[in-house]
mmCIF file of all heavy atoms in Angstrom:
data_model
loop_
_atom_site.group_PDB
_atom_site.id
_atom_site.type_symbol
_atom_site.label_atom_id
_atom_site.label_comp_id
_atom_site.label_asym_id
_atom_site.label_seq_id
_atom_site.Cartn_x
_atom_site.Cartn_y
_atom_site.Cartn_z
ATOM 1 N N VAL A 51 -1.191 18.512 17.953
ATOM 2 C CA VAL A 51 -1.862 17.300 17.475
ATOM 3 C C VAL A 51 -1.017 16.064 17.775
ATOM 4 O O VAL A 51 -1.525 15.043 18.240
ATOM 5 C CB VAL A 51 -2.171 17.413 15.964
ATOM 6 C CG1 VAL A 51 -2.629 16.080 15.391
ATOM 7 C CG2 VAL A 51 -3.214 18.479 15.722
ATOM 8 N N ALA A 52 0.281 16.155 17.539
ATOM 9 C CA ALA A 52 1.167 15.009 17.793
ATOM 10 C C ALA A 52 1.213 14.690 19.289
ATOM 11 O O ALA A 52 1.217 13.510 19.672
ATOM 12 C CB ALA A 52 2.564 15.302 17.264
ATOM 13 N N THR A 53 1.249 15.722 20.130
ATOM 14 C CA THR A 53 1.258 15.495 21.576
ATOM 15 C C THR A 53 -0.032 14.822 22.024
ATOM 16 O O THR A 53 -0.011 13.870 22.807
ATOM 17 C CB THR A 53 1.434 16.832 22.320
ATOM 18 O OG1 THR A 53 2.649 17.440 21.894
ATOM 19 C CG2 THR A 53 1.471 16.631 23.817
ATOM 20 N N GLY A 54 -1.154 15.302 21.540
ATOM 21 C CA GLY A 54 -2.435 14.704 21.891
ATOM 22 C C GLY A 54 -2.550 13.270 21.407
ATOM 23 O O GLY A 54 -3.067 12.399 22.116
ATOM 24 N N LEU A 55 -2.070 13.005 20.211
ATOM 25 C CA LEU A 55 -2.097 11.643 19.676
ATOM 26 C C LEU A 55 -1.220 10.715 20.508
ATOM 27 O O LEU A 55 -1.616 9.595 20.838
ATOM 28 C CB LEU A 55 -1.635 11.652 18.218
ATOM 29 C CG LEU A 55 -1.706 10.335 17.469
ATOM 30 C CD1 LEU A 55 -3.150 9.871 17.363
ATOM 31 C CD2 LEU A 55 -1.104 10.493 16.086
ATOM 32 N N GLY A 56 -0.043 11.186 20.889
ATOM 33 C CA GLY A 56 0.847 10.375 21.719
ATOM 34 C C GLY A 56 0.239 10.079 23.086
ATOM 35 O O GLY A 56 0.328 8.953 23.586
ATOM 36 N N ARG A 57 -0.391 11.086 23.694
ATOM 37 C CA ARG A 57 -1.054 10.879 24.988
ATOM 38 C C ARG A 57 -2.192 9.878 24.863
ATOM 39 O O ARG A 57 -2.374 9.026 25.730
ATOM 40 C CB ARG A 57 -1.617 12.196 25.496
ATOM 41 C CG ARG A 57 -0.722 12.861 26.460
ATOM 42 C CD ARG A 57 -1.410 14.007 27.168
ATOM 43 N NE ARG A 57 -0.390 14.979 27.454
ATOM 44 C CZ ARG A 57 -0.450 16.257 27.183
ATOM 45 N NH1 ARG A 57 -1.529 16.760 26.636
ATOM 46 N NH2 ARG A 57 0.547 17.054 27.469
ATOM 47 N N GLY A 58 -2.951 9.994 23.792
ATOM 48 C CA GLY A 58 -4.071 9.074 23.588
ATOM 49 C C GLY A 58 -3.611 7.641 23.440
ATOM 50 O O GLY A 58 -4.186 6.721 24.030
ATOM 51 N N ILE A 59 -2.559 7.428 22.675
ATOM 52 C CA ILE A 59 -2.023 6.072 22.491
ATOM 53 C C ILE A 59 -1.474 5.546 23.812
ATOM 54 O O ILE A 59 -1.698 4.390 24.176
ATOM 55 C CB ILE A 59 -0.938 6.071 21.390
ATOM 56 C CG1 ILE A 59 -1.588 6.352 20.031
ATOM 57 C CG2 ILE A 59 -0.182 4.746 21.364
ATOM 58 C CD1 ILE A 59 -0.599 6.569 18.914
ATOM 59 N N ARG A 60 -0.758 6.393 24.555
ATOM 60 C CA ARG A 60 -0.193 5.971 25.844
ATOM 61 C C ARG A 60 -1.297 5.606 26.835
ATOM 62 O O ARG A 60 -1.221 4.572 27.513
ATOM 63 C CB ARG A 60 0.664 7.096 26.407
ATOM 64 C CG ARG A 60 1.433 6.692 27.656
ATOM 65 C CD ARG A 60 2.363 7.782 28.187
ATOM 66 N NE ARG A 60 2.673 8.824 27.242
ATOM 67 C CZ ARG A 60 2.372 10.127 27.432
ATOM 68 N NH1 ARG A 60 1.768 10.516 28.524
ATOM 69 N NH2 ARG A 60 2.699 11.031 26.535
ATOM 70 N N ASP A 61 -2.345 6.428 26.909
ATOM 71 C CA ASP A 61 -3.452 6.127 27.817
ATOM 72 C C ASP A 61 -4.182 4.851 27.406
ATOM 73 O O ASP A 61 -4.608 4.071 28.259
ATOM 74 C CB ASP A 61 -4.438 7.298 27.866
ATOM 75 C CG ASP A 61 -3.856 8.516 28.563
ATOM 76 O OD1 ASP A 61 -2.834 8.373 29.278
ATOM 77 O OD2 ASP A 61 -4.422 9.616 28.387
ATOM 78 N N PHE A 62 -4.324 4.642 26.110
ATOM 79 C CA PHE A 62 -4.982 3.430 25.636
ATOM 80 C C PHE A 62 -4.180 2.187 26.012
ATOM 81 O O PHE A 62 -4.740 1.206 26.503
ATOM 82 C CB PHE A 62 -5.169 3.499 24.112
ATOM 83 C CG PHE A 62 -5.826 2.290 23.540
ATOM 84 C CD1 PHE A 62 -7.186 2.097 23.692
ATOM 85 C CD2 PHE A 62 -5.087 1.340 22.845
ATOM 86 C CE1 PHE A 62 -7.807 0.982 23.161
ATOM 87 C CE2 PHE A 62 -5.692 0.230 22.317
ATOM 88 C CZ PHE A 62 -7.058 0.044 22.467
ATOM 89 N N LYS A 63 -2.875 2.233 25.799
ATOM 90 C CA LYS A 63 -2.039 1.088 26.165
ATOM 91 C C LYS A 63 -2.073 0.842 27.670
ATOM 92 O O LYS A 63 -2.122 -0.299 28.125
ATOM 93 C CB LYS A 63 -0.593 1.323 25.727
ATOM 94 C CG LYS A 63 -0.374 1.165 24.241
ATOM 95 C CD LYS A 63 1.081 1.377 23.888
ATOM 96 C CE LYS A 63 1.330 1.216 22.411
ATOM 97 N NZ LYS A 63 2.752 1.425 22.064
ATOM 98 N N LYS A 64 -2.050 1.914 28.446
ATOM 99 C CA LYS A 64 -2.100 1.793 29.908
ATOM 100 C C LYS A 64 -3.414 1.153 30.341
ATOM 101 O O LYS A 64 -3.440 0.279 31.203
ATOM 102 C CB LYS A 64 -1.951 3.175 30.543
ATOM 103 C CG LYS A 64 -1.919 3.169 32.042
ATOM 104 C CD LYS A 64 -1.753 4.591 32.566
ATOM 105 C CE LYS A 64 -1.838 4.623 34.072
ATOM 106 N NZ LYS A 64 -1.759 6.006 34.586
ATOM 107 N N ALA A 65 -4.522 1.575 29.732
ATOM 108 C CA ALA A 65 -5.823 1.017 30.083
ATOM 109 C C ALA A 65 -5.934 -0.454 29.670
ATOM 110 O O ALA A 65 -6.587 -1.250 30.346
ATOM 111 C CB ALA A 65 -6.940 1.820 29.422
ATOM 112 N N MET A 66 -5.283 -0.815 28.575
ATOM 113 C CA MET A 66 -5.339 -2.214 28.123
ATOM 114 C C MET A 66 -4.539 -3.127 29.052
ATOM 115 O O MET A 66 -4.886 -4.296 29.215
ATOM 116 C CB MET A 66 -4.797 -2.339 26.697
ATOM 117 C CG MET A 66 -5.683 -1.702 25.650
ATOM 118 S SD MET A 66 -7.328 -2.401 25.571
ATOM 119 C CE MET A 66 -6.992 -4.021 24.979
ATOM 120 N N ASN A 67 -3.482 -2.607 29.672
ATOM 121 C CA ASN A 67 -2.639 -3.425 30.536
ATOM 122 C C ASN A 67 -3.152 -3.513 31.967
ATOM 123 O O ASN A 67 -2.754 -4.403 32.708
ATOM 124 C CB ASN A 67 -1.207 -2.887 30.544
ATOM 125 C CG ASN A 67 -0.518 -3.107 29.212
ATOM 126 O OD1 ASN A 67 -0.844 -4.040 28.485
ATOM 127 N ND2 ASN A 67 0.428 -2.246 28.885
ATOM 128 N N GLU A 68 -4.015 -2.586 32.383
ATOM 129 C CA GLU A 68 -4.550 -2.621 33.744
ATOM 130 C C GLU A 68 -5.642 -3.671 33.844
ATOM 131 O O GLU A 68 -6.454 -3.815 32.935
ATOM 132 C CB GLU A 68 -5.124 -1.258 34.129
ATOM 133 C CG GLU A 68 -4.091 -0.190 34.320
ATOM 134 C CD GLU A 68 -4.721 1.147 34.678
ATOM 135 O OE1 GLU A 68 -5.957 1.235 34.731
ATOM 136 O OE2 GLU A 68 -3.964 2.096 34.886
ATOM 137 N N PRO A 69 -5.658 -4.402 34.963
ATOM 138 C CA PRO A 69 -6.753 -5.363 35.126
ATOM 139 C C PRO A 69 -8.056 -4.621 35.420
ATOM 140 O O PRO A 69 -8.063 -3.530 35.982
ATOM 141 C CB PRO A 69 -6.319 -6.209 36.319
ATOM 142 C CG PRO A 69 -5.396 -5.325 37.084
ATOM 143 C CD PRO A 69 -4.714 -4.444 36.062
ATOM 144 N N ASP A 70 -9.147 -5.244 35.027
ATOM 145 C CA ASP A 70 -10.459 -4.647 35.295
ATOM 146 C C ASP A 70 -10.744 -4.724 36.788
ATOM 147 O O ASP A 70 -10.440 -5.712 37.439
ATOM 148 C CB ASP A 70 -11.554 -5.389 34.532
ATOM 149 C CG ASP A 70 -11.483 -5.129 33.035
ATOM 150 O OD1 ASP A 70 -10.900 -4.094 32.655
ATOM 151 O OD2 ASP A 70 -11.996 -5.956 32.265
ATOM 152 N N PRO A 71 -11.357 -3.675 37.356
ATOM 153 C CA PRO A 71 -11.723 -3.750 38.773
ATOM 154 C C PRO A 71 -12.826 -4.792 38.948
ATOM 155 O O PRO A 71 -13.625 -5.021 38.044
ATOM 156 C CB PRO A 71 -12.235 -2.347 39.092
ATOM 157 C CG PRO A 71 -12.620 -1.772 37.789
ATOM 158 C CD PRO A 71 -11.738 -2.416 36.756
#
Side-chain angles (χ1 to χ4, degrees):
V51 169
T53 302
L55 185 63
R57 263 192 211 130
I59 292 172
R60 187 177 342 119
D61 290 343
F62 180 76
K63 285 181 180 180
K64 183 179 175 183
M66 291 300 293
N67 290 332
E68 290 179 358
D70 289 338

